[in-house]
Amino acid sequence: MPRSTQRQTPTHPDGRPMKITFGEMRAMGLRGVLVYCHCGHEVALRADRWPDDVRLSDIEPRFVCAGCGNRGADVRPDFESGRPPQFAK
C-alpha cells in the first residue's frame, strides 16, 4: 500500500500550527525574530528574552500591534543575511 506524502504538522489546541522552538532557532545560528501584524506592521526583535523551550508560535497571541491595536501576530525567524539586523529597542 502506498504511503501518504502529506506531512502532519502539529497544531495548538486553537488550530494554529506549532513552530520551532527558540532553542532550535538558535541552533541554526539565528538570533532575532520578525513579528508581523495582520494589518501590515512589522518589527524585528532580539530573541534573547525567550527561553530555549518556548515555541515561536507560543508567543504569537501575546503581541499587541502598536499601529492598529490588534492582538496576535505572525512570528518568524529573521533569516536576513549579509547585513546586520536593525533591532527594535
Side-chain angles (χ1 to χ4, degrees):
M1 221 171 174
R3 292 176 57 182
S4 173
T5 58
Q6 288 184 339
R7 271 178 60 178
Q8 291 290 330
T9 303
T11 59
H12 288 276
D14 63 4
R16 291 177 300 112
M18 285 189 178
K19 295 184 178 177
I20 64 173
T21 66
F22 282 96
E24 292 167 332
M25 187 186 84
R26 290 182 188 110
M28 292 187 285
L30 304 171
R31 296 291 180 258
V33 293
L34 299 173
V35 181
Y36 297 96
C37 178
H38 306 289
C39 75
H41 287 103
E42 62 184 73
V43 65
L45 299 173
R46 293 178 199 256
D48 300 339
R49 67 185 85 190
W50 293 286
D52 286 345
D53 62 331
V54 173
R55 293 185 179 279
L56 276 64
S57 52
D58 292 342
I59 65 170
E60 290 176 332
R62 298 179 178 186
F63 284 97
V64 177
C65 180
C68 70
N70 284 335
R71 181 173 287 278
D74 183 25
V75 179
R76 298 177 183 208
D78 187 354
F79 289 103
E80 279 289 311
S81 61
R83 60 178 198 188
Q86 299 298 310
F87 291 109
K89 294 183 181 182

